[in-house]
Amino acid sequence: MPKKKIEALEEVKRNYVRMALESGNYSSIARHAGISRTTLTKWIKEYEDEVREQMEDPTSVILSTEPTKEELKAKYEHAMKLLGEKELEVAMLRNLLKKTQYRP
């Protein structure tokens, strides 16, 4: 049976892959993550295409190992925008659900 992937852990892996690709220093990132360089290399093989696409997206923000106040603010603003979009989506779906349930 294939292993079930936990999305939060996959996101952490993608973040380390991105840091490694941005810095080019795989060994340092692996040490920081507390994993072997071999493990990081496996993650890079698995997520590189996806991470490179994300890196090209100007709205995509990732925190460095020691984020600055500006990085934290950008990440917060991005998260708030996504939260607002999700809240709007939920409200629209609830409204649609009410309309479909109360049809005579």
Side-chain angles (χ1 to χ4, degrees):
M1 175 158 48
K3 291 183 181 179
K4 181 178 177 184
K5 294 189 176 189
I6 300 170
E7 186 55 36
L9 295 177
E10 300 308 305
E11 187 63 31
V12 170
K13 291 177 185 180
R14 286 189 288 269
N15 286 341
Y16 282 120
V17 168
R18 182 168 179 169
M19 285 190 284
L21 293 174
E22 286 177 342
S23 71
N25 191 341
Y26 295 3
S27 296
S28 174
I29 299 301
R31 268 193 310 275
H32 178 75
I35 59 174
S36 71
R37 191 173 192 277
T38 305
T39 299
L40 180 60
T41 303
K42 287 179 186 176
W43 293 356
I44 290 170
K45 286 179 184 176
E46 184 175 354
Y47 296 108
E48 183 173 12
D49 293 338
E50 179 184 347
V51 170
R52 287 203 186 274
E53 282 181 24
Q54 185 185 46
M55 289 168 64
E56 293 172 3
D57 182 2
T59 62
S60 174
V61 180
I62 190 166
L63 295 178
S64 63
T65 55
E66 295 179 21
T68 65
K69 190 173 185 177
E70 291 77 26
E71 287 176 318
L72 290 171
K73 184 177 179 182
K75 186 74 172 176
Y76 172 80
E77 289 172 357
H78 181 66
M80 292 307 290
K81 178 183 176 206
L82 291 175
L83 178 62
E85 290 171 358
K86 290 296 177 188
E87 287 177 345
L88 178 60
E89 183 180 330
V90 167
M92 290 171 50
L93 290 171
R94 283 185 178 154
N95 191 20
L96 181 63
L97 186 60
K98 286 179 188 176
K99 288 180 182 180
T100 58
Q101 285 181 345
Y102 295 113
R103 281 193 176 163

